[in-house]
Amino acid sequence: MSSYTVANLPRISREKLAEYIRSKKPGVSVIDVRDSDYIGGHIVGCQNVPVNTHDFRMPELVRTLADEDAVVFHCSLSQQRGPSSALKYLRERERMGLVKDGTGEEQKVYVLDGGFSMWQEVYGEDAELTEAYVKDLWD
């Protein structure tokens, strides 16, 4: 049985993630799990992997991101889809034998605190951090 739960998933602040993106820190991937609500903007360089594709895409995602230092999941608010996606990712890594002793120490997996909703409040109009932003959709 997995040791991972939604309650023990670490969060990353929008400020810390913005710092990583601005510095072009290698080894950090952002996974946006929003579905149709992906329109209106997204974090620069993120991958959109909608929740409804996770059943067949999660093993591929785990293999693709295996060498990353950190993976950050988020949805609109990071209350349900983001955390559950991060949990599914961690459990898939565990199932594939990529996690030692269930600790996940070799790769950090985070949930973006407040999701894209809080992100866009500060960084929505910052073209260095946010792409395809449509302010009217967020007002």
Side-chain angles (χ1 to χ4, degrees):
M1 184 162 169
S2 179
S3 61
Y4 300 114
T5 67
V6 170
N8 66 17
L9 287 172
R11 299 276 175 154
I12 188 169
S13 71
R14 61 187 174 195
E15 293 80 13
K16 189 64 157 175
L17 182 56
E19 180 183 311
Y20 286 159
I21 293 169
R22 282 191 204 283
S23 70
K24 299 183 182 357
K25 181 178 171 95
V28 177
S29 288
V30 178
I31 309 300
D32 186 329
V33 301
R34 293 178 293 161
D35 299 300
S36 62
D37 54 335
Y38 181 74
I39 63 165
H42 53 271
I43 297 171
V44 167
C46 77
Q47 293 181 54
N48 182 226
V49 184
V51 168
N52 63 359
T53 67
H54 287 183
D55 285 345
F56 64 90
R57 288 198 59 198
M58 198 55 73
E60 169 197 351
L61 193 62
V62 168
R63 283 190 296 276
T64 303
L65 300 175
D67 294 331
E68 296 294 293
D69 296 327
V71 181
V72 180
F73 285 85
H74 79 87
C75 58
S76 186
L77 299 172
S78 288
Q79 292 179 348
Q80 292 181 0
R81 294 175 293 174
S84 67
S85 298
L87 192 59
K88 190 169 205 165
Y89 177 84
L90 282 165
R91 288 178 176 167
E92 184 64 20
R93 280 181 53 84
E94 194 171 52
R95 186 193 69 75
M96 293 172 77
L98 298 174
V99 177
K100 296 176 185 156
D101 303 320
T103 62
E105 301 251 330
E106 62 280 338
Q107 184 180 76
K108 299 292 183 189
V109 177
Y110 299 102
V111 175
L112 176 61
D113 201 24
F116 189 78
S117 185
M118 282 184 61
W119 173 272
Q120 65 83 30
E121 288 175 1
V122 175
Y123 304 115
E125 297 181 278
D126 185 334
E128 186 181 7
L129 298 173
T130 306
E131 297 177 314
Y133 185 66
V134 181
K135 185 173 176 24
D136 292 346
L137 291 175
W138 296 96
D139 285 340

